[in-house]
Structures are given as structure tokens and as C-alpha cells.
Amino acid sequence: MSDLQIGLIVLGVLLILLVLGFNWWQDRRVRRKMQSHFPTNEHDPLLGAEQHGGGHGGASEPRAPATKVHKGAQSAEPRREPNFGAGSGSVTGASAAPAPAAPLAATSGSDQDDAEEVDPAIEAVIELTFGSPVRGAELLPHVQSVRNVGRKPVRIFAETEGGRHRARIHSDETYSRLQLAILLANRSGPLTAIEWSQAWARAQDLAERFDASPEGPEQQPVLEHAHKLDDVCAALDTQVGLTLLLGCAQPAAEVLAIARDMGFVHEGPRLAWMSDEGIARFTLSRSDGAPFDAGVGGVEKMNLLLDVPCSPADTRAFGRMVDVGRELASRLRADLVDDQGKPLADGSDVAIDERLQKLFSQLDQAGLRSGSARAQRVFS
């Protein structure tokens, strides 16, 4: 091999290394730029330097133990993502339940910004800036599938060509930017490296299809944030349950009719006892997991469940469930017992409610107001 050939090979290797180094530097610069778009808010406990842990209010009560299942969060005042939209508009309040999953498509948008926004305390954001405006009709077929990465839901936000913030894409609008907001933690655990990589893969795919520039935070800070959020939520995640023993199987249709007559409403396969604000205080489900209207066999056992972080704060949260449970048991000629199969002791509801008040307060202090949209997202 001649000196000229060796020189050309060495020169080619150096050029390849230079290209790789430039790409790495450019990617790092873009990600750091994106991170600067999301400053923390000192008033939000979940974004502060210290995380609020706490004991389980009522978790140790033997008559109705709280079952720790995982994590949680939505804030009293979720905020708009910086530099995304024309104004700071109001957003869903802490006591409001998250709206049902709305379709990404709609016939037309309004002249106002949508209220629902990114929540930096519980979501990591990847933003795509389009080289030229893209019609919603073109985006919809490709973003419909970007609803989850692993076990973490993804919310889609967009900015119109005219600078309007959208919580869903309208087929007849054109958009200049898109945001993928990935939930950092829920009851399946914190966001994982694999889930974060999947989110980036989806973003890169959209970027290639629509000539967009993707920007987002680096992986390590995102995963650290996810683990901190998960730790906070795990310390406060509490559920309290009761059991209805019907003795012998009763027709599901009759059980459903009695429950609905008392005031329960359908919530998926379960029934829910709603608050005045339209948030489920507690739920009623068949022990076999089947829907009440499935028409499959009879019902022998049912469960009442108070999901504390997802229900609105109430001075008689458990006592109210006990009252409803006793009336339902009377109508069904059933026995109301705790998770150990024992009848409820007199005064146990008062003791548990006192403990739950402490938990409601801890959730509030941690930025996870019970029953809020943030709490219902992470405690899911």
C-alpha cells in the first residue's frame, strides 16, 4: 500500500470523526437550548428543591387499611409551558377532574388559547418546530398513535401559525410547533430510559416526516425528576377499601338497578359515587372485575374503594363511604366488612377520617391536591 493510499485513509477517518463530533456538539447545544425553555417555579412544591414526603394518613388502620400502590400528582395551578402560546391563560384548577380524553381532531379552533396546558412538574416535553406550517389534517394520521410510550401517556399540544395554543389538533388549522408531553410517573412507576427513548423515536419520526427540528431535555435530568416524583407519590399513595358479601349470587341487573337507584353512576366497568363537582368520591366494583352490565352470571361479592389522592378532600371521606355501604348492604341483604372479613367497629370511621385529614393536608403541601387533575394523572 502506497503512502498516498495510507494518507487518504487517515484523512477519511479524520473527516468521519469530525462529522461525528460536530453532530454530537450540535445535538447537545439544541437540547441545552430546550432545557432553558422550562425554568422551575419556586412556588410549586414538586418543582422546588425539597420534596415533601409524609406518612399514610389512615394507612395503618386495621379495619380499613390503605393500600399503597404507587405515585401521584396535578397541581393547584398548573402552568402554561413557557414560550408556547400568546398568553398565560388560566388552566384547570386543583379541584377539577381531568377532562375525558378528547379526540385530537376537531372541526375548527377558536380565537382563544385552549385552557389545558403542559404541567412541567409531572411532564417532560419534546418540542418540534416545523420548517413551514403544517395542516392539522396532515398531522392527525401520524399523531393519533403517539398517545403512549410504554405505560406512560403522552399529551399532544400545538401552536397555530397565528400563535394560538391548542390542547388538541384541528384538521382545518395550520401549525408551526408541536409538543409531546410525556408523564413522568404513574402507578406503573417512574418514566424509564426505554420509555424516554421511545418518546424521542416518535418525535424523530414526526420530525423527519414534516421537516421539523426536535428539541428536548437530556435523558438523565428527566429520569432523575421522574424518580423524585415517584418517591413523593409513593409515600402518599393511599387507598381504603370495604367489602360487601352478598351471601348468595344475585342477578347483576338487580344489583346494578339498586346501586343506580341509590345514586351510583357508571365509570367504566365500575360505578362511582360522585361529588358535587363531578369527581368520584369512591367506587363500587364487582370482585370478579366484570362490568355490572356485562350480564355475566350473578354477583356474590363487591368492593367499595376510596382512592384518596384521586378523590376530593372531605372531612367524612371514609364515613360517607361507610354510610353508603351500609345502606347498600341493607338493600341487598348483604354484609359490610373490612378487608379482613370483620364487621366495622363502632367509631372506626371517625378514627380513619381523622387520619385521612392529615393525608389530604400532606397531599396539598406536596403540590398533589387530592382530586385534582394533576393527582389523577399520576395516581393512575
Side-chain angles (χ1 to χ4, degrees), residues 34 81 118-128 146-157 179-186 189-203 215-217 222-223 225-226 229 377-378:
M34 185 60 184
E81 191 64 15
V118 169
D119 185 351
I122 65 169
E123 293 174 316
V125 178
I126 299 175
E127 181 174 303
L128 292 94
V146 188
R147 303 298 293 181
N148 296 277
V149 288
R151 296 185 178 182
K152 304 300 181 295
V154 178
R155 295 196 294 164
I156 307 295
F157 297 92
Q179 282 184 321
L180 309 183
I182 303 98
L183 189 65
L184 290 170
N186 56 14
L191 182 74
T192 66
I194 293 176
E195 290 170 332
W196 181 240
S197 296
Q198 289 176 350
W200 266 103
R202 304 279 179 84
E215 299 178 272
V222 169
L223 298 185
H225 187 177
L229 174 62
R377 288 193 181 102
V378 294

Side-chain angles (χ1 to χ4, degrees), residues 310-374:
C310 295
S311 63
D314 184 356
T315 56
R316 294 197 69 247
F318 181 67
R320 192 186 304 274
M321 185 171 72
V322 170
D323 292 345
V324 173
R326 283 174 173 161
E327 181 179 350
L328 184 58
S330 176
R331 294 196 186 192
L332 294 172
R333 300 178 302 281
D335 294 320
L336 182 68
V337 299
D338 62 20
D339 67 330
Q340 299 176 359
K342 299 178 181 179
L344 295 176
D346 292 339
S348 62
D349 55 331
V350 175
I352 292 176
D353 274 328
E354 289 177 354
R355 297 186 182 187
L356 291 184
Q357 295 316 300
K358 297 179 182 178
L359 181 58
F360 285 134
S361 177
Q362 290 171 340
L363 285 164
D364 196 10
Q365 292 171 10
L368 312 176
R369 188 182 298 276
S370 58
S372 68
R374 174 185 282 181

Side-chain angles (χ1 to χ4, degrees), residues 36 47 76 95 138 171 212 231 246 255 324 327 332 341 366:
S36 68
L47 291 173
S95 64
E138 297 177 36
S171 60
D231 289 343
L246 279 63
V255 173
V324 173
E327 181 179 350
L332 294 172

